[in-house]
Amino acid sequence: MTARMKNSQWWMHSFLFVYVVALLFPLLWLFMSSFKTNRQITENTWSFPTSFNFDNYVAAWGTANIGKYALNSVYVTVAACLLTLLFAAMTSFAISRMKYEKMNKIVYQFILLGLLVPAGALFIPLYRLIQGIELFGHKLYDTHLSLILVYSTYALPITVFIIYAFMLSIPSELEEAGIMDGLGASGLFFRIIVPISVPALVTVFILNFIGNWNEYILSQLFITSESLRTLPTGMATFNDGYRTNFASLSAAVIISIIPVLIVYVFLQRQIIEGMTAGSVKG
């Protein structure tokens, strides 16, 4: 290895180190602030906490109902992700494995048009649509189901895009062997294609999970009842119009980050495999 290459690698590693520190510093500051009081945060913003006092976490979880908001977020997020996976996987299977080339191309391009539409452009039409829909005599507006359906709709184009690319790389010989064993379309899908597509399915599940978990605007738009709020909108209660409880808010944000970190740590290998699937053929 030449001296020039060593120097270039040193600069690259130094740049990456600075980049990582810049990314992690706000998280570290947030973690330290969650153990301080509001006065300590105001008087000395960058100091370390004098003691690790968990009162802020207790207050955030109990008094501010963060626990209830977190359960609402888990329910809405997981349900929306599973619904998106189901429809996206079936759609991707149909347009990537079934022999209707012209129709498959039209359907695929129509779905991808969803990636070109700005999310904000649909807020008013969706709001009017959700307000006017009734299911079994009950308004869809101000229910968790409204959020689940909207989240699933927004995530469908990118989810189909990733799963479709993965399914194209699956050898057709596997399907032919399944047909020889008497499998129909549903058998091929559930017994062959879905198990092989697990890396891609896990990838889009995590991406959609993070997006749905952190979503604020749609939740604020479609949910008005206090008991139905998700975590991002629930944390807005720390601001009473006159002042913000930064200490408890910091603790609440740390609590909201934990589930995403846990899911990512345990499934990061599947995420990488799913994102790189289909990029190399042969």
Side-chain angles (χ1 to χ4, degrees):
M1 182 179 296
T2 62
R4 180 176 297 179
M5 293 179 63
K6 289 182 178 179
N7 290 333
S8 63
Q9 288 186 357
W10 184 85
W11 280 107
M12 183 178 298
H13 283 84
S14 300
F15 173 77
L16 291 176
F17 176 78
V18 173
Y19 178 73
V20 170
V21 170
L23 290 179
L24 293 180
F25 180 77
L27 185 61
L28 177 62
W29 177 84
L30 192 68
F31 179 75
M32 293 189 303
S33 298
S34 67
F35 295 101
K36 296 180 179 180
T37 63
N38 279 322
R39 182 173 181 177
Q40 290 174 338
I41 294 175
T42 304
E43 292 180 351
N44 199 342
T45 305
W46 308 109
S47 65
F48 285 93
T50 55
S51 63
F52 287 93
N53 190 341
F54 289 89
D55 290 344
N56 292 327
Y57 288 89
V58 174
W61 186 265
T63 307
N65 291 324
I66 289 300
K68 185 174 183 59
Y69 300 145
L71 290 177
N72 290 339
S73 285
V74 169
Y75 168 67
V76 170
T77 299
V78 173
C81 289
L82 293 178
L83 186 63
T84 304
L85 277 186
L86 177 63
F87 283 102
M90 292 191 296
T91 302
S92 301
F93 172 70
I95 62 180
S96 65
R97 313 306 297 182
M98 296 184 177
K99 307 302 181 182
Y100 302 99
E101 294 185 3
K102 290 185 179 179
M103 182 59 67
N104 291 346
K105 186 176 181 180
I106 293 174
V107 172
Y108 181 62
Q109 291 178 344
F110 178 77
I111 293 174
L112 291 188
L113 285 176
L115 296 175
L116 304 178
V117 180
L122 301 177
F123 287 167
I124 296 178
L126 278 174
Y127 180 79
R128 299 291 296 174
L129 179 65
I130 294 297
Q131 273 198 325
I133 294 178
E134 289 190 10
L135 293 177
F136 307 107
H138 298 281
K139 285 282 189 179
L140 186 61
Y141 181 75
D142 196 26
T143 64
H144 283 154
L145 182 58
S146 64
L147 274 186
I148 292 171
L149 293 177
V150 171
Y151 286 172
S152 302
T153 303
Y154 268 97
L156 195 60
I158 186 62
T159 306
V160 170
F161 178 76
I162 295 175
I163 298 177
Y164 172 81
F166 187 94
M167 288 187 177
L168 281 180
S169 65
I170 299 176
S172 59
E173 289 80 8
L174 295 175
E175 290 176 283
E176 295 171 359
I179 294 173
M180 293 293 294
D181 290 336
L183 294 179
S186 60
L188 291 174
F189 176 70
F190 287 106
R191 299 181 63 179
I192 295 179
I193 301 300
V194 169
I196 295 175
S197 304
V198 167
L201 297 178
V202 172
T203 298
V204 293
F205 181 89
I206 300 304
L207 294 177
N208 292 334
F209 183 92
I210 295 173
N212 295 342
W213 183 266
N214 296 322
E215 200 284 320
Y216 175 81
I217 297 178
L218 293 174
S219 178
Q220 185 77 0
L221 191 64
F222 295 119
I223 299 295
T224 58
S225 299
E226 178 73 22
S227 60
L228 298 178
R229 285 183 174 181
T230 57
L231 199 53
T233 55
M235 286 191 293
T237 59
F238 288 100
N239 188 347
D240 60 5
Y242 297 97
R243 67 185 185 90
T244 299
N245 190 338
F246 291 107
S248 295
L249 180 59
S250 300
V253 173
I254 292 295
I255 293 173
S256 70
I257 293 173
I258 291 174
V260 177
L261 290 179
I262 292 174
V263 171
Y264 182 79
V265 166
F266 284 100
L267 298 176
Q268 59 180 318
R269 189 177 70 178
Q270 287 82 355
I271 295 174
I272 296 173
E273 290 178 359
M275 292 299 291
T276 57
S279 59
V280 179
K281 294 184 177 180

